[in-house]
Amino acid sequence: SHVANHDKGKVADSLDKASEEQDDVDSLRIDTEGDNSVATTDKDAFRMNQRETEAHQVKLQHLCRICGGSFKADPYKRSHPVHGPVDNVMQAVLRKKEKRATSWPELLAKVFKIDVRGDIDTIHPTNFCHNCWHFIQKKFSNVPCKVYFPRKGPVEWHPHSSNCEVCGTLSRGVKRKLQALNPQVNKKLRIMARRARQIRPVRTPKQVNSKSLMKKIVNCNKIHLSTKNFAVDYPADFVKAVSCQICEHILADPVETTCKHLFCRVCILKCLKVMGSYCPACLYPCFPTDLVSPVKSFLSILNNLPLRCPVKECDEEISLEKYCHHLSSHKDVKDKEGYVHINKGGRPRQHLLSLTRRAQKHR
């Protein structure tokens, strides 16, 4: 009986060990299945993210890099590569303005103030729309037009995320956020709309008086040269082309408006401040930010125009750009003969040009 009890104890111990081993095997199997399920889930999530990223990149190819508009909005589906060479039409426009550019990144940086050279294909579109191309063309051709940039600034692009605007966008392009209008731009739009409704009146005596009023406002007789100082009797139309349309003196630091009229920088800035934000010549809306320097060939012609030295004993012909330097070379002369004393730095005093005109009267 003692032996039978001992055998029964051994059998019970072996059964307990077997059950424990089975539990370990079951728990190991469960852990393995759990790890496999987690790995499968991660792999599925990775594949899903990869598919979403690829779909996001495909959708980017249908959007404009600059304004975010959809190419589907253009009936001709026109687009231009952001990193490609500048086309022949734009090259012709740049040649007329005596400017050079071989690639679009250079032009986009000048017009929209953005650097596209560091773009990433999975984040940024690789093309821009024809409306933005037209905006660049009109910007460099400096011609009044109805083309407008539909945003306050270029779109900021971000990597794909759960609340991605690109993937949830409509066919019209990336949805625009509501932004307050720039007061300067808002004022310009109001002025342009008001001027468009008005019929340009025929020149009247009232406008002639306003021109004389502008001359009083600028009051630049002492700092700008008269067209009578030219050494050659040029045709009236040529003289008008190289003279300011406000003060009618020879252009000094000339600037060009959007409507292609030329003024002295000092004169136009004073008139815009006092008379309002429009061109004094044609009443087209004009702001200080619209003023640009004329092309280099025109400036070269202007600076090389010959002027007669007003000093009685000199009577020499000098180019416009060397005029003040030439007058400063006449030192230690009498005031009654129309001369002026030069300071130690070699620069003429402020009343130099007024004494120049006085010297002409003595001749």
Side-chain angles (χ1 to χ4, degrees), residues 79-355:
S79 62
H80 306 271
V82 172
H83 302 283
V86 179
D87 57 84
N88 295 333
V89 177
M90 192 65 67
Q91 287 283 11
V93 172
L94 293 174
R95 279 196 296 270
K96 285 186 178 180
K97 300 299 288 184
E98 296 184 345
K99 298 181 183 296
R100 291 182 180 180
T102 56
S103 62
W104 282 116
E106 186 179 352
L107 285 181
L108 296 178
K110 289 180 179 178
V111 178
F112 299 105
K113 304 296 185 295
I114 56 173
D115 186 6
V116 299
R117 290 173 295 182
D119 283 5
I120 304 173
D121 292 347
T122 55
I123 300 176
H124 304 90
T126 56
N127 297 294
F128 62 96
C129 65
H130 192 70
N131 187 67
C132 292
W133 179 92
H134 208 216
F135 183 85
I136 299 171
Q137 182 193 25
K138 295 304 179 183
K139 187 77 173 177
F140 281 100
S141 59
N142 200 25
V143 175
C145 62
K146 296 181 180 179
V147 178
Y148 66 96
F149 187 62
R151 290 177 171 268
K152 187 177 180 180
V155 176
E156 293 184 4
W157 300 93
H158 304 284
H160 176 67
S161 60
S162 57
N163 55 350
C164 178
E165 290 185 359
V166 174
C167 296
T169 188
L170 300 175
S171 61
R172 301 294 296 178
V174 176
K175 187 176 180 181
R176 204 174 6 164
K177 295 181 180 179
L178 295 176
Q179 295 176 336
L181 274 177
N182 187 351
Q184 185 82 348
V185 176
N186 198 12
K187 182 180 178 183
K188 184 174 182 179
L189 293 175
R190 289 201 310 269
I191 292 176
M192 291 179 69
R194 186 169 66 250
R195 297 295 177 191
R197 289 193 299 265
Q198 295 175 350
I199 300 175
R200 188 177 299 174
V202 182
R203 181 175 291 276
T204 61
K206 186 176 181 181
Q207 287 187 350
V208 175
N209 293 335
S210 67
K211 192 167 185 178
S212 62
L213 176 62
M214 286 189 291
K215 287 185 179 181
K216 291 181 181 178
I217 291 172
V218 297
N219 191 23
C220 58
N221 291 330
K222 294 183 178 180
I223 59 174
H224 292 164
L225 286 169
S226 171
T227 54
K228 295 179 181 179
N229 290 350
F230 284 134
V232 180
D233 187 15
Y234 292 112
D237 290 339
F238 179 81
V239 173
K240 185 178 179 180
V242 296
S243 59
C244 174
Q245 299 201 29
I246 296 175
C247 66
E248 296 182 346
H249 294 144
I250 302 174
L251 286 166
D253 191 12
V255 291
E256 183 181 350
T257 60
T258 309
C259 45
K260 292 193 172 296
H261 291 114
L262 292 170
F263 303 94
C264 303
R265 185 182 295 273
V266 174
C267 297
I268 185 65
L269 290 177
K270 285 184 179 179
C271 281
L272 291 178
K273 186 176 181 180
V274 177
M275 304 292 290
S277 301
Y278 60 89
C279 173
C282 66
L283 304 183
Y284 188 83
C286 178
F287 288 80
T289 53
D290 298 332
L291 303 177
V292 296
S293 180
V295 294
K296 294 179 182 179
S297 56
F298 176 82
L299 294 177
S300 177
I301 294 172
L302 179 66
N303 290 327
N304 286 302
L305 291 175
L307 277 71
R308 185 80 61 185
C309 178
V311 178
K312 187 176 181 180
E313 298 175 356
C314 180
D315 199 32
E316 184 179 345
E317 290 186 8
I318 321 102
S319 63
L320 178 60
E321 62 180 348
K322 298 178 181 179
Y323 185 79
C324 288
H325 178 72
H326 176 79
L327 288 184
S328 66
S329 63
H330 296 287
K331 298 181 179 180
D332 300 326
V333 292
K334 298 179 182 179
D335 289 343
K336 65 179 180 180
E337 293 178 355
Y339 291 80
V340 61
H341 180 70
I342 307 302
N343 59 13
K344 294 181 180 180
R347 296 172 62 88
R349 295 187 186 278
Q350 190 174 1
H351 62 289
L352 172 63
L353 296 179
S354 62
L355 291 178

